[in-house]
Amino acid sequence: MRPSSHSAVLLSAIFTAALLAVAAKADGGSVTAAASPSPPPAWTAVSNVNDRSIQQVGQSAVRIYGLSTNKTYLRYVNVVSGQTQPCNGGYNYRLVVTVAGPGATAARYDALMWGILGTTNWKLLSFTLAAN
């Protein structure tokens, strides 16, 4: 057979299989579909916001945000509260971070970071002023 004949035979076989599946479903037969993905794991409250690793995640969020927005004057103060969620081999960190601005002003921000502790694989996903 010529190469184009192989392609025609393969396409014909795929088409026939698809038609048989549709016909079986129409006749009351069952066609197995791929399972839907499971929902993401739930968020878990951070039990100790003073833990060194949680403080470092918060500090990194402030630094990354400051550098990416040219607001390098922002100064990390602390993490007020947080939650974690397993995600793609690492964790999502949803933290409320206190940040000092120019003068004596301070504000709280919601920071969402993804990363793997002990590595340099970190991403700042969002950093927004927290609602009071």
Side-chain angles (χ1 to χ4, degrees), residues 44-59 76-84 93-98 108-109 111 117:
T44 303
V46 171
S47 59
N48 179 9
V49 295
N50 295 315
D51 180 88
R52 184 172 171 237
S53 62
I54 297 299
Q55 292 291 319
Q56 287 177 339
V57 173
Q59 187 174 26
Y76 168 80
V77 177
N78 67 348
V79 173
V80 177
S81 64
Q83 297 175 315
T84 61
Y93 293 83
R94 189 163 52 191
L95 305 176
V96 176
V97 181
T98 304
R108 290 187 175 170
Y109 286 83
L117 288 177

Side-chain angles (χ1 to χ4, degrees), residues 33-39:
S36 60
S38 59

Side-chain angles (χ1 to χ4, degrees), residues 16-18 35-36 45 53 64 78 86-89 97 99 113 118 120 127 132:
T16 303
S36 60
S53 62
I64 293 168
N78 67 348
C87 180
N88 296 330
V97 181
V99 176
M113 290 274 287
T120 57
F127 196 88
N132 290 332

Side-chain angles (χ1 to χ4, degrees), residues 90-127:
Y91 280 86
N92 285 326
Y93 293 83
R94 189 163 52 191
L95 305 176
V96 176
V97 181
T98 304
V99 176
T105 62
R108 290 187 175 170
Y109 286 83
D110 293 319
L112 180 59
M113 290 274 287
W114 174 89
I116 302 171
L117 288 177
T119 71
T120 57
N121 295 329
W122 288 92
K123 294 180 185 175
L124 179 62
L125 303 175
S126 71
F127 196 88

